[in-house]
Amino acid sequence: MDASKAIIETVDRLRQRRTAPLILELDLTEGVTEGPPADPLSAVLSMRRARLTDLLSGLRRAAADSRVKALVVKVGGRPLGLGTVQELRAAITRFRSSGKLTVAFAESFGEFGAGTVPYYLATAAERVYLQPSGDLGLTGIAMEQRFLRGALGKVGVEYQLGQRHEYKTAADMFTQERMTEPHRESLTRIAGSVTEQIVSAVAASRRLDVATVRGLIDQGPFIGAEAVEHGLVDRLAYRDEVYDEVLAAAGEGAHLQFVSRYARGALAKRLPRPGEPVVALVHGSGPIRLGRSGRGPFGGGGSMGSDTICAALRAARRDEHVKAVVFRVDSPGGSYVASDAVWREVVLTRETGKPVIVSMGDVAASGGYFVSMAADVIVAQPGTLTGSIGVLGGKPVVGGLLDRLGVGVETVREGANAGMFSTAEAFSESQWERVNAWLDRIYDDFVTKVAEGRGLDRDRAHELAKGRVWTGADAHGGGLVDELGGLTDALALARKKARLPQDATVRVYPRLNPLERLRPPESSEDRSAALARVRLEAWGPLAGLATTLGLPAYGPLQLPGTWTIS
C-alpha cells in the first residue's frame, strides 16, 4: 500500500510540475556558443555554455507559452561580443513585449572595471537589480591600440608590410609609433557609432532622456546606491531576494528552468516529418583557412575551414528538401584563397534558385565579409564589425636580432627568389615588386566582387573599402549590409523568400548520421568529408600572443588584432 501511495504521489507531483507556472532562467555567466560543436573536443569544452540558437528559439516560444510567467537574466562572468549582446537583447525585448515579467540581475556590472556592454544587455529587462556590494561600470567605449615599432627596433626586428589601403591598419602596429589619421578616424567612428546605439537603447529602456544617459556615461563608474539614485538600476538586492520576488509574482508552485533546457524540451516534442521543406543553417566561425574546420587541443578559438564550409553548402544545395540557406558568419577573416572558395559555393547555391541569407555575428570582416558578399541578403547587428575590405602582407625581418644573439644564417638557393619569404633578410627591390603585385591583385578582385555582389559602382565600392572597418549600422548606410537584425530575422527572411511557413524547420548542415561520422569519407563529395577536426598545429591558448608577436596567422584577409567591444 505504501509503495502504491508513493507512486501516486510521484505521478501527481510530475503532473503538477508539467502544469505549474514556469520561470525561465537565462544564465549568461558562462558565455554563449554560436552553433553546435564541430568536434568532440568542442563539445566537451562547451558543455556548460548554451547555444545561441537554443536561447533565441526558446525565448520566442516562451513569449506565447501561457505557462511561462517570467524571465530572469543573470548577467556577468564571461564577456559577450556586442553582436551577440544585441541578438540576445532583441530576444529579451520581444519576450518583454508579451507582457511577462523580465528581471535582470548581476552581482556587479564590472568589478572595478568596464561594465557598459553587460549593463546595456541588462536594460532589455523591465527591472534591473544589482547586488548591494556591486558597482555599475558605465564608462563608455574605449578602443586601444598598441604600437610595437619602437620596442622591436631596439631588439633588431623590422617589418616589411604592404597594405591596401590606408585603413587596413594591421601593419601600423609594427610599422608606426602612433595612430595615423585614417586609423584614428576609423576607430573614432566605430566608438561613436557603438556609443550612439547603447545610449539610445538604454535611454528608451530606462525611460531617460538621451542627453541624460550620455552625461551619466561621463560621470561613471557608479557605486550601487548612486546607480539607483540616477534611475539606472531599480533596486539593490541579493540573489535570494530577487528570486523570492519573481517566484511570488509567478504564482504558487512556480519552478525554474534554464531557457536552453526549455528550448530543447520543446524541440524533442516536435516529431520530424519526412520530406518536409526546411531551411538549412550553416555556421562559419573563427579565422578562415584552407582545409577542414577545427580547433587546437588546448583551447583557443576554432577555425572556419574552407573544405568544411564548402561541403556544407554543397550538401544544402543538393538536398531537394532545402528551400533556403542561412549562412551564419562570425569571423575576422583569414586566407584569401579559402575565402574565395567559400564565396564560389555561395554563388553556386544562389544560382540554383535557393535564397542565401547571411547572418553576421560579432565580427564578419575582411575574409569574413568576402565569404558573405555574394549572398542575396546580408543581415547584421548594428554593432557587428564588418567591412575591412582590403589586404595586407609582408614579413618581419629578424636579421638584426639574430646578429645580436650571435646566430649566423646561411642559405643555399636554387632560384633567384627561393628564399624571399625568409625572415632572416629583407625583400629585394624585385621581390618587393612581386609582393605589391600580389596585394594589388587581391584587392582588385575583392573590390570587384563587392561591387558585383552588392550592386555598387566600382568607384563607390572602392570608397567603402580601403581596408576600413565599419559597424553594421554604418555598413547598412553604405550598402555593404542590407538589413539590420540577428539570426532570428535572417531565418524569418529565408522562410519568407522560400515561401515557407513561419515555423518551418531549420536544420544545421552538414547533417550527418552517426554512421557517417564514424566511417571514412568515400570522396571529397561525401558529406562526412566536412567533419571538423582537432588541429595539433594550432596555437591554442597562445593564439593572441602569437598574433601580437607577428607570428604566422591565417592569411592576408584577416582583421588585425583582437576586436572586442566591452
Side-chain angles (χ1 to χ4, degrees):
M1 181 66 69
D2 289 340
S4 299
K5 182 179 179 181
I7 293 173
I8 292 172
E9 289 177 349
T10 301
V11 171
D12 287 341
R13 282 198 301 270
L14 292 174
R15 184 182 296 112
Q16 292 171 8
R17 187 174 180 84
R18 285 196 300 268
T19 58
L22 193 59
I23 299 171
L24 295 184
E25 289 185 283
L26 180 57
D27 189 342
L28 301 173
T29 56
E30 293 293 328
V32 175
T33 60
E34 263 289 327
D39 55 76
L41 181 60
S42 297
V44 173
L45 295 175
S46 63
M47 283 178 63
R48 296 188 62 83
R49 297 170 63 189
R51 297 182 195 174
L52 180 60
T53 49
D54 288 343
L55 299 182
L56 299 178
S57 63
L59 289 174
R60 183 180 60 184
R61 178 177 178 270
D65 188 344
S66 60
R67 283 189 61 215
V68 177
K69 304 300 181 183
L71 172 69
V72 179
V73 185
K74 175 70 179 300
V75 181
R78 185 174 302 198
L80 298 173
L82 183 59
T84 301
V85 164
Q86 291 180 330
E87 194 103 44
L88 292 168
R89 200 178 189 283
I92 296 167
T93 300
R94 283 191 290 265
F95 178 90
R96 176 180 172 179
S97 66
S98 69
K100 300 178 182 185
L101 177 62
T102 54
V103 173
F105 169 71
E107 285 95 355
S108 185
F109 294 106
E111 187 173 9
F112 200 73
T116 301
V117 173
Y119 174 70
Y120 166 55
L121 172 57
T123 58
E126 177 185 346
R127 303 176 191 173
V128 179
Y129 294 155
L130 177 65
Q131 187 167 293
S133 54
D135 302 305
L136 173 52
L138 184 63
T139 55
I141 299 299
M143 303 188 73
E144 182 178 282
Q145 175 69 66
R146 298 182 182 181
F147 297 91
L148 304 178
R149 179 182 177 182
L152 293 171
K154 290 179 180 180
V155 297
V157 176
E158 297 180 359
Y159 272 79
Q160 282 187 296
L161 291 170
Q163 60 197 63
R164 301 292 184 275
H165 281 273
E166 64 267 30
Y167 293 99
K168 195 72 174 180
T169 55
D172 293 0
M173 181 178 184
F174 305 106
T175 61
Q176 304 291 328
E177 294 181 351
R178 58 185 57 86
M179 286 187 189
T180 62
E181 283 307 310
H183 194 166
R184 184 173 297 278
E185 177 191 351
S186 177
L187 293 188
T188 298
R189 179 52 203 156
I190 291 172
S193 177
V194 171
T195 301
E196 291 166 8
Q197 296 167 35
I198 291 175
V199 168
S200 62
V202 169
S205 297
R206 300 302 302 168
R207 298 179 178 83
L208 298 171
D209 184 72
V210 168
T212 299
V213 175
R214 186 62 186 85
L216 287 170
I217 285 178
D218 291 333
Q219 298 174 40
F222 299 98
I223 297 170
E226 296 171 334
V228 174
E229 179 184 346
H230 289 295
L232 297 170
V233 169
D234 292 287
R235 186 161 74 91
L236 301 181
Y238 287 99
R239 180 192 179 281
D240 61 290
E241 295 173 312
V242 174
Y243 276 73
D244 284 347
E245 178 180 314
V246 176
L247 285 165
E252 185 179 356
H255 65 279
L256 302 165
Q257 187 173 44
F258 286 123
V259 175
S260 55
R261 289 289 297 272
Y262 172 81
R264 287 196 292 270
L267 183 63
K269 293 176 183 177
R270 186 186 184 283
L271 295 176
R273 299 190 299 271
E276 66 177 332
V278 301
V279 173
L281 176 58
V282 177
H283 285 275
S285 301
I288 302 170
R289 63 181 300 158
L290 290 167
R292 287 154 58 186
S293 300
R295 63 179 300 126
F298 306 111
S303 63
M304 185 199 307
S306 58
D307 286 355
T308 298
I309 302 302
C310 289
L313 290 170
R314 281 196 299 271
R317 182 168 72 243
R318 294 168 180 173
D319 190 331
E320 62 180 7
H321 303 305
V322 171
K323 304 304 179 182
V325 177
V326 172
F327 184 17
R328 176 71 170 182
V329 179
D330 191 10
S331 171
S335 164
Y336 161 63
V337 177
S339 300
D340 193 40
V342 175
W343 170 86
R344 175 64 176 172
E345 293 296 336
V346 173
V347 171
L348 292 174
T349 303
R350 281 190 64 183
E351 288 178 351
T352 65
K354 296 183 180 183
V356 179
I357 314 298
V358 161
S359 170
M360 292 180 166
D362 294 328
V363 180
S366 202
Y369 190 79
F370 199 113
V371 302
S372 304
M373 61 189 174
D376 290 278
V377 181
I378 296 177
V379 181
Q381 291 290 356
T384 296
L385 294 179
T386 189
S388 192
I389 302 164
V391 58
L392 60 91
K395 66 179 181 179
V397 181
V398 299
L401 174 61
L402 296 177
D403 287 342
R404 293 187 183 190
L405 297 175
V407 177
V409 179
E410 290 190 18
T411 305
V412 176
R413 296 185 178 92
E414 282 292 338
N417 296 325
M420 69 177 288
F421 296 109
S422 168
T423 58
E425 59 185 38
F427 291 121
S428 68
E429 185 175 339
S430 63
Q431 289 169 350
W432 187 240
E433 288 178 358
R434 297 310 304 156
V435 170
N436 279 285
W438 176 73
L439 294 173
D440 288 336
R441 189 261 301 196
I442 294 176
Y443 183 77
D444 181 68
D445 183 51
F446 200 164
V447 174
T448 298
K449 287 174 177 172
V450 169
E452 293 172 352
R454 299 288 90 212
L456 298 170
D457 177 83
R458 194 188 184 287
D459 290 340
R460 175 57 176 161
H462 170 61
E463 286 302 311
L464 292 167
K466 299 183 179 180
R468 182 162 181 171
V469 180
W470 304 93
T471 62
D474 288 346
H476 178 251
L480 296 177
V481 165
D482 298 297
E483 297 192 15
L484 295 178
L487 181 57
T488 299
D489 303 294
L491 291 170
L493 184 58
R495 291 181 175 110
K496 181 179 179 181
K497 283 188 169 292
R499 299 179 181 178
L500 297 176
Q502 294 182 354
D503 61 347
T505 300
V506 176
R507 287 182 178 169
V508 175
Y509 276 69
R511 187 174 175 80
L512 304 173
N513 59 48
L515 180 60
E516 288 175 313
R517 290 181 175 275
L518 291 173
R519 66 170 177 78
E522 184 174 336
S523 71
S524 61
E525 294 287 303
D526 196 319
R527 290 187 301 177
S528 62
L531 281 174
R533 67 179 182 183
V534 177
R535 295 187 173 279
L536 298 178
E537 75 273 17
W539 287 109
L542 300 179
L545 176 62
T547 301
T548 300
L549 294 177
L551 295 173
Y554 286 94
L557 297 187
Q558 181 157 351
L559 190 67
T562 302
W563 289 72
T564 302
I565 296 175
S566 60

